[in-house]
């Protein structure tokens, strides 16, 4: 499998595991029609974009 | 009620209808029966009756409700692809929910007889968490898994970037363009958004299954009319199979006549002034 698709599969898999863990822990908070479908967008697109925009100095404590 | 099946069936339907039907319309259609009523179900005195019966909001699980929504969408937006999507999605939801003990009234108001095959017990009376635990302890959870398998076997192509580019967006170019403009999301972001419903379905299926096994610790009883640890059946009718068949057949006949009249008097006129997605219109021009 080429590098880019492999990274995509890994990212989706990790996001899925995180969602299931959060879902099990918080139930109704993330297992609903609003947060659920938007979760991969937040985790895979919006969050990395926000982190990339931050200057390097702010990202590390 | 069905849980993740309502998410997976959107993609399976989309695989069959292609560019002529809006995916977002299908999603709205499958969500519509529960959209404004589900949150009230758990707080009502008789959840099964309220959710599926009459008196109650059971009309939202009737075929006529889908027709009304589809005609409204056609009248307001003139979009044939949205109208068809809402109709197909809502009808899919109705047929999927026939499987639990409360059933649905497909031919309401011509018949208020619930139609059910009683695969698993409607368990909304147990509260939201109890309902989830019961569903994923019964054939309901297997039903969700069945739809996931169907999605993987028959419609996995719908999740690819190529399918999104060549079918999903051309079926609904204005809405996806609007989403792009309003959110600033590129193709990757919109594709992630499109796949989100499948992700949600799989995620909540696994999470609630784990909750049922490890949290609620309910016994896994995937047998017909299970789970048997529930004491109530929540069957809304005590009529026998012949009576249900007779009433439903009469209701179905009256519904078909009403549908034909509605099409002749209103539907056909709205359909004629409606528009197809540009890609469908181009294909018709070539023919």
């Amino acid at each position: 499998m080429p590098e880019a698709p492999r990274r995509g599969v890994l990212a989706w898999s990790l996001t899925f595991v995180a969602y299931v863990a959060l879902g099990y822990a918080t139930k109704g908070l993330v297992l609903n029609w609003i947060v659920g479908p938007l979760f991969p967008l937040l985790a895979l697109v919006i969050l990395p974009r926000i982190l990339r925009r931050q200057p390097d100095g702010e990202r590390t404590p | 009620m069905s849980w993740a099946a309502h998410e997976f069936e959107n993609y399976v339907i989309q695989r069959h209808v292609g560019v002529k039907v809006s995916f977002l319309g299908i999603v709205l259609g499958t969500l519509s029966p529960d959209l404004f009523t589900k949150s009230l179900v758990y707080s009502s005195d008789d959840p099964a009756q309220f959710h599926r019966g009459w008196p109650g909001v059971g009309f939202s699980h009737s075929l006529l409700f889908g027709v009304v929504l589809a005609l409204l969408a056609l009248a307001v937006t003139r979009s044939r692809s949205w109208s068809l999507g809402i109709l197909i999605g809502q009808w899919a939801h109705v047929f999927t929910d026939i499987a639990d003990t409360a059933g649905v009234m497909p031919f309401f108001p011509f018949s208020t007889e619930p139609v059910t095959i009683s695969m698993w017990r409607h368990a909304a009376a147990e509260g939201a968490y109890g309902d989830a635990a019961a569903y994923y302890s019964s054939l309901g959870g297997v039903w969700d898994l069945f739809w996931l398998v169907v999605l993987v076997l028959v419609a996995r192509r719908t999740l690819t970037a190529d399918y999104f580019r060549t079918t999903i967006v051309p079926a609904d170019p204005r809405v996806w363009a609007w989403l792009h403009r309003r959110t600033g999301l590129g193709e990757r972001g919109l594709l992630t958004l499109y796949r989100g419903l499948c992700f949600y379905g799989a995620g909540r299926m696994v999470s609630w299954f784990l909750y049922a096994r490890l949290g609620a610790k309910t016994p896994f009883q995937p047998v017909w009319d299970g789970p048997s640890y529930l004491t109530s059946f929540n069957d809304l009718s005590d009529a026998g199979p012949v009576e249900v068949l007779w009433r439903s057949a009469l209701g179905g006949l009256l519904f078909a006549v009403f549908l034909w009249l509605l099409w002749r008097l209103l539907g056909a006129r709205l359909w004629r002034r409606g528009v197809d997605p540009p890609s469908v219109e181009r294909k018709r021009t070539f023919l």
Side-chain angles (χ1 to χ4, degrees):
Chain A
M1 191 186 280
E3 186 61 26
R6 194 185 299 162
R7 279 176 59 187
V9 170
L10 184 67
W12 275 91
S13 304
L14 288 175
T15 306
F16 185 76
V17 171
Y19 181 70
V20 168
L22 272 173
Y24 181 79
T26 67
K27 297 173 193 71
L29 205 63
V30 297
L31 298 176
N32 63 63
W33 291 339
I34 313 282
V35 179
L38 290 176
F39 192 84
L41 182 72
L42 291 169
L44 294 168
V45 179
I46 295 174
L47 195 64
R49 193 185 287 182
I50 291 169
L51 290 175
R52 270 198 304 271
R53 276 184 192 163
Q54 279 187 357
D56 287 345
E58 287 180 28
R59 209 182 298 175
T60 49
Chain B
M1 65 188 86
S2 300
W3 288 50
H6 291 316
E7 275 79 59
F8 301 139
E9 65 193 7
N10 294 305
Y11 298 88
V12 178
I13 294 167
Q14 177 62 53
R15 180 75 182 97
H16 285 89
V17 293
V19 78
K20 288 178 188 161
V21 179
S22 159
F23 177 76
L24 298 171
I26 297 172
V27 172
L28 188 61
T30 50
L31 286 177
S32 63
D34 291 338
L35 198 58
F36 303 109
T37 59
K38 193 70 177 281
S39 56
L40 303 170
V41 168
Y42 294 118
S43 56
S44 77
D45 293 334
D46 187 348
Q49 172 67 32
F50 176 77
H51 189 204
R52 300 287 179 72
W54 180 258
V57 294
F59 64 85
S60 64
H61 287 69
S62 69
L63 299 178
L64 185 62
F65 187 68
V67 173
V68 171
L69 288 182
L71 284 177
L72 271 175
L74 190 58
V76 173
T77 67
R78 294 193 178 195
S79 168
R80 289 177 178 172
S81 68
W82 266 78
S83 176
L84 274 177
I86 289 170
L87 183 73
I88 294 169
Q90 199 272 348
W91 281 21
H93 187 122
V94 172
F95 287 120
T96 311
D97 278 358
I98 278 176
D100 67 35
T101 50
V104 294
M105 302 181 291
F107 305 120
F108 177 90
F110 306 103
S111 164
T112 53
E113 187 63 47
V115 176
T116 169
I117 56 169
S118 299
M119 262 174 84
W120 62 87
R121 295 182 194 186
H122 188 282
E126 305 296 310
Y129 293 176
D131 189 11
Y135 183 80
Y136 286 103
S137 300
S138 70
L139 279 178
V142 180
W143 182 238
D144 280 1
L145 188 64
F146 165 78
W147 277 99
L148 180 60
V149 171
V150 171
L151 168 60
V152 171
L153 291 179
V154 179
R156 63 179 176 277
R157 205 173 90 77
T158 58
L159 295 170
T160 62
D162 183 56
Y163 191 88
F164 178 71
R165 204 175 294 132
T166 57
T167 305
I168 300 299
V169 175
D172 226 348
R174 286 169 60 190
V175 177
W176 288 106
W178 179 83
L179 277 170
H180 167 66
R181 283 196 307 275
R182 294 291 295 185
T183 62
L185 291 171
E187 188 189 62
R188 186 170 158 261
L190 294 175
L191 175 64
T192 307
L193 186 65
Y194 162 69
R195 287 170 173 166
L197 207 63
C198 180
F199 176 94
Y200 168 54
R204 78 162 166 162
M205 189 175 85
V206 176
S207 298
W208 284 123
F209 184 84
L210 288 175
Y211 167 72
R213 301 287 77 76
L214 308 173
K217 292 189 169 62
T218 51
F220 186 49
Q221 297 168 330
V223 291
W224 208 271
D225 202 13
S228 50
Y229 74 82
L230 288 178
T231 50
S232 59
F233 286 86
N234 287 316
D235 193 336
L236 297 181
S237 171
D238 48 10
V242 177
E243 209 174 340
V244 171
L245 200 66
W246 158 242
R247 286 181 191 167
S248 299
L250 185 64
L253 183 70
L254 290 170
F255 173 71
V257 172
F258 178 79
L259 206 59
W260 178 76
L261 279 171
L262 193 64
W263 174 255
R264 292 295 298 264
L265 296 173
L266 180 68
R269 201 183 327 156
L270 290 175
W271 185 260
R272 273 196 298 273
R273 68 171 206 145
V275 288
D276 280 317
S279 53
V280 174
E281 280 176 353
R282 270 198 300 277
K283 277 181 191 166
R284 287 207 177 128
T285 311
F286 290 134
L287 290 172

